Amino acid sequence: MKYFLAIIGGGPAGYTAAEKASKAGKDVVLFEQSSLGGTCLNVGCIPTKSLLYGAKQYYNATHAQKYGVTAENVAFDFAAMQKRKTIVVRKLVAGIKQRLNNEHCTVVNGFAKVESRTDECVTISCNGETYEAENLMICTGSTNFVPPIPGIKDNPAVWDSTDALAAAELPKSIIIVGGGVIGMEFATLYHELGVPVTVIEAMPTILPNLDPEVVALLAEKYKKAGITILTGTKVESLDGGKVTANGEVYEAERVLVSVGRRANLNGLEALNELELNRGAIKMDEFCKTNLPNVYACGDVTGKIMLAHVAARQAEVAVGRMLKQIPLQRIAYNAIPSVVYTNPEIASVGITEAQAAEMSIPVEVTKLPMTFSGRFMAENEGETGLCKVITDAKNHSILGVHLIGNPCSEFIAAASFAVRMGYTTAEFQQVVFPHPTVSEILHEAI
Ligand code: NAD
């Protein structure tokens, strides 16, 4: 049998594509070497959020006095938190399996290797069997990057994020190398559970890609709370849990290395004409590679390593493959992103600095989150910020940057405004429910 589409990788890109193409009545085979759901579901977004939620419950219980609540003998059971995390993941993986079954998609559990390709047929081997398809979609994701720092390889004290998520016990102390998204989310988890945390970041600030004012508020709070944050500090070498950086030695039981991820190209060696861009697969606006019947979606494209981007890329790519009219494109200018620190950070669109780089004249509006009644009611002693970037000429909304709980839950409203190119006058016609923290958008825009 010749399939219409073969998909390698069952993460958010792969399973979204499989479901959409199968729903359209096409024969689809999806290969997954591990568990459906990919990094996001198994060793990324979902397990981290499950553990972070447990940590937040503990932290809130031990910091409840400010709301007039005293909780005594508050304790946590890390093994129970881990068990719950595993159950959440298992249920969601089963859900994806069920969805693909419902659409009669063939799922093959094993490592898939591309054997050959012509414009008419891609041949793939897996578990000793051979499969043929008209089209191939590469959704092989990414793996943790191990930087070439002396002493990092085969060092038993070193963890990557997958090791950290699997650990049966909390570390007694931890140094986190890389103050990016992964680094700061784990810093939050460990700090809230009472583990001494040191973050070492090479750039002048943690979370260097985000709005600096928003990041400064987080850094200030975390430093006050006792997290050591060393910025502009490059790690030179490791020896067990001893980390030498800028000539100083820092020590902890564990060292979590979170300095980025790299595209996973394993099994694709036969596609020797596939064009790459800085180690990731080059694709066009429809996720089509330079090879006519080969598409690539998700982290393997190195574009924006976020699960929701991967899923949207898959929808667009399948639409293109099925020649659906009108052809959809991805609004890369309106991709929301969230960092699950406490408080959360959420943003969409360009920052002030990016506007300046692009020579776009902008107006910037800033409002403290404390303008929101609901924020005041539920965030005693906390600060927060809403920053809106608008085009100075036509007043369209170009970017929104937020810090303050629970901004992850309403950044989508701002994404919608950026995606649709709404002006401030158009956005002002939207009614926000009162009292909600989301009203801050209404106040600021
Ligand atoms: P990242 O690129 O976000 O951060 C890596 C950080 O490490 C950067 O700030 C960089 O300056 C720093 N760094 C690099 N080399 C260093 C060195 N030698 N010493 C000290 N610092 C160094 O990468 P990440 O945090 O590993 O995350 C990987 C990917 O996963 C990202 O694309 C991220 O967006 C995604 N992710 C997203 C979420 C989310 O959406 N909430 C959560 C986790 C991961």
Side-chain angles (χ1 to χ4, degrees):
M1 155 178 196
K2 190 172 177 183
Y3 290 91
F4 170 75
L5 173 62
I7 301 168
I8 309 184
Y15 70 71
T16 304
E19 197 175 12
K20 186 168 163 118
S22 302
K23 252 197 176 101
K26 299 293 182 186
D27 289 321
V28 177
V29 57
L30 182 146
F31 302 95
E32 171 54 57
Q33 60 183 340
S34 175
S35 191
L36 284 173
T39 300
C40 167
L41 193 36
N42 294 285
V43 287
C45 324
I46 300 302
T48 339
K49 263 81 267 176
S50 303
L51 290 179
L52 274 168
Y53 191 73
K56 201 189 248 181
Q57 298 307 307
Y58 174 71
Y59 183 85
N60 286 346
T62 52
H63 291 74
Q65 295 90 334
K66 56 189 179 181
Y67 300 107
V69 176
T70 313
E72 281 169 12
N73 301 323
V74 181
F76 67 85
D77 176 348
F78 190 64
M81 285 182 182
Q82 285 283 34
K83 195 172 163 197
R84 179 180 165 273
K85 171 206 82 177
T86 307
I87 293 168
V88 169
V89 169
R90 202 178 294 149
K91 282 184 184 164
L92 289 168
V93 170
I96 291 171
K97 210 175 194 170
Q98 189 58 47
R99 275 161 61 178
L100 296 181
N101 270 348
N102 292 349
E103 301 303 335
H104 308 291
C105 171
T106 305
V107 177
V108 181
N109 192 218
F111 177 76
K113 187 167 178 276
V114 177
E115 296 295 344
S116 63
R117 188 207 73 88
T118 63
D119 288 356
E120 290 74 40
C121 184
V122 182
T123 308
I124 292 164
S125 65
C126 185
N127 301 336
E129 303 274 332
T130 300
Y131 299 82
E132 287 184 342
E134 286 171 48
N135 298 289
L136 169 67
M137 188 182 280
I138 304 169
C139 307
T140 47
S142 61
T143 53
N144 284 310
F145 173 60
V146 183
I149 298 173
I152 208 166
K153 267 202 166 165
D154 303 319
N155 180 338
V158 169
W159 275 352
D160 62 19
S161 56
T162 308
D163 301 320
L165 283 171
E169 283 174 21
L170 278 176
K172 290 187 180 62
S173 56
I174 193 153
I175 293 172
I176 299 177
V177 180
V181 190
I182 294 183
M184 294 318 297
E185 290 187 358
F186 275 99
T188 306
L189 172 72
Y190 291 128
H191 169 70
E192 292 193 338
L193 295 178
V195 176
V197 176
T198 301
V199 177
I200 303 183
E201 166 58 51
M203 299 291 279
T205 154
I206 53 166
L207 300 166
N209 298 327
L210 298 180
D211 178 90
E213 277 182 276
V214 160
V215 171
L217 283 178
L218 182 79
E220 197 185 328
K221 178 185 169 181
Y222 274 19
K223 281 181 186 171
K224 251 192 216 156
I227 300 179
T228 305
I229 299 179
L230 307 165
T231 50
T233 307
K234 246 193 139 169
V235 172
E236 287 143 18
S237 65
L238 270 80
D239 177 9
K242 285 194 184 120
V243 178
T244 305
N246 285 9
E248 300 280 333
V249 178
Y250 305 89
E251 189 169 7
E253 190 197 7
R254 295 281 171 197
V255 181
L256 171 67
V257 177
S258 49
V259 296
R261 297 178 63 85
R262 293 292 178 270
N264 172 24
L265 303 173
N266 290 340
L268 308 174
E269 295 75 10
L271 297 173
N272 46 20
E273 285 168 8
L274 187 66
E275 264 184 53
L276 300 182
N277 180 19
R278 299 164 74 199
I281 299 177
K282 200 172 158 189
M283 39 44 130
D284 68 9
E285 58 186 328
F286 303 109
C287 301
K288 225 166 163 294
T289 70
N290 64 310
L291 305 176
N293 52 349
V294 180
Y295 293 72
C297 298
D299 283 11
V300 76
T301 66
K303 184 99 180 153
I304 306 175
M305 290 193 180
L306 294 173
H308 45 284
V309 173
R312 180 67 188 139
Q313 287 176 333
E315 288 170 355
V316 167
V318 172
R320 169 71 177 75
M321 216 179 281
L322 298 174
K323 301 185 176 62
Q324 284 177 342
I325 303 291
L327 277 181
Q328 293 190 0
R329 286 175 169 74
I330 304 169
Y332 282 112
N333 66 321
I335 303 289
S337 74
V338 174
V339 190
Y340 295 85
T341 42
N342 189 7
E344 296 170 348
I345 293 176
S347 56
V348 64
I350 59 171
T351 59
E352 236 177 314
Q354 285 163 342
E357 269 168 36
M358 294 189 262
S359 307
I360 303 173
V362 291
E363 280 166 5
V364 179
T365 315
K366 291 183 238 177
L367 217 53
M369 281 285 186
T370 46
F371 262 64
S372 152
R374 177 81 180 274
F375 183 86
M376 286 294 282
E378 296 184 355
N379 291 273
E380 185 60 43
E382 295 284 344
T383 52
L385 181 67
C386 170
K387 197 166 165 181
V388 180
I389 318 290
T390 47
D391 188 309
K393 283 188 196 146
N394 64 15
H395 307 293
S396 60
I397 301 158
L398 301 177
V400 173
H401 308 276
L402 303 164
I403 178 167
N405 291 332
C407 62
S408 65
E409 288 300 337
F410 60 85
I411 190 66
S415 304
F416 194 73
V418 176
R419 169 68 185 89
M420 304 311 285
Y422 284 167
T423 61
T424 48
E426 284 166 331
F427 193 79
Q428 280 156 10
Q429 298 174 43
V430 178
V431 178
F432 281 77
H434 177 75
T436 60
V437 183
S438 70
E439 284 173 290
I440 197 69
L441 293 176
H442 195 245
E443 296 284 343
I445 293 175

